[in-house]
């Protein structure tokens, strides 16, 4: 069964895609790592972003976490400052 998840983009990820949110189709048993692969295939410029963190429903997620269509995902790029 196919469904979609909402992926929020911040900082450089938003700049590279030109969007603040994406709707990405997923299948049953899709994991965070699978979603990242799919987003990077769709937006190759994101492959150059190192240390990209993923939050699922407001909490940091590991690449093996399984997703559902009810999840809200955020791609969080590295932050620098001084």
């Amino acid at each position: 069964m196919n469904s979609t998840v909402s992926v929020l983009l911040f900082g450089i990820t938003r700049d590279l895609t030109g969007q603040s949110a994406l709707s990405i189709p997923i299948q049953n048993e899709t994991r965070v790592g699978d979603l990242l692969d799919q987003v990077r295939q769709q937006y190759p410029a994101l492959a150059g972003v190192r240390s990209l963190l993923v939050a699922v429903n407001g909490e940091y997620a590991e690449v093996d976490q399984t997703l559902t269509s009810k999840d809200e995902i955020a791609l969080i790029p590295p932050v620098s400052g001084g």
Side-chain angles (χ1 to χ4, degrees), residues 19-80:
Q19 301 181 63
S20 60
L22 304 172
S23 182
I24 302 292
I26 63 168
Q27 297 180 0
N28 287 341
E29 303 299 319
T30 296
R31 299 184 188 282
V32 168
D34 302 327
L35 178 77
L36 282 174
D37 291 343
Q38 190 174 347
V39 169
R40 286 176 175 141
Q41 283 181 338
Q42 208 169 345
Y43 298 93
L46 290 177
V49 178
R50 293 182 166 205
S51 304
L52 188 62
L53 296 175
V54 179
V56 177
N57 301 322
E59 295 189 22
Y60 290 119
E62 298 294 326
V63 293
D64 61 349
Q65 181 173 332
T66 302
L67 300 170
T68 71
S69 62
K70 296 177 184 176
D71 291 332
E72 181 179 76
I73 292 98
L75 299 185
I76 305 167
V79 178
S80 63

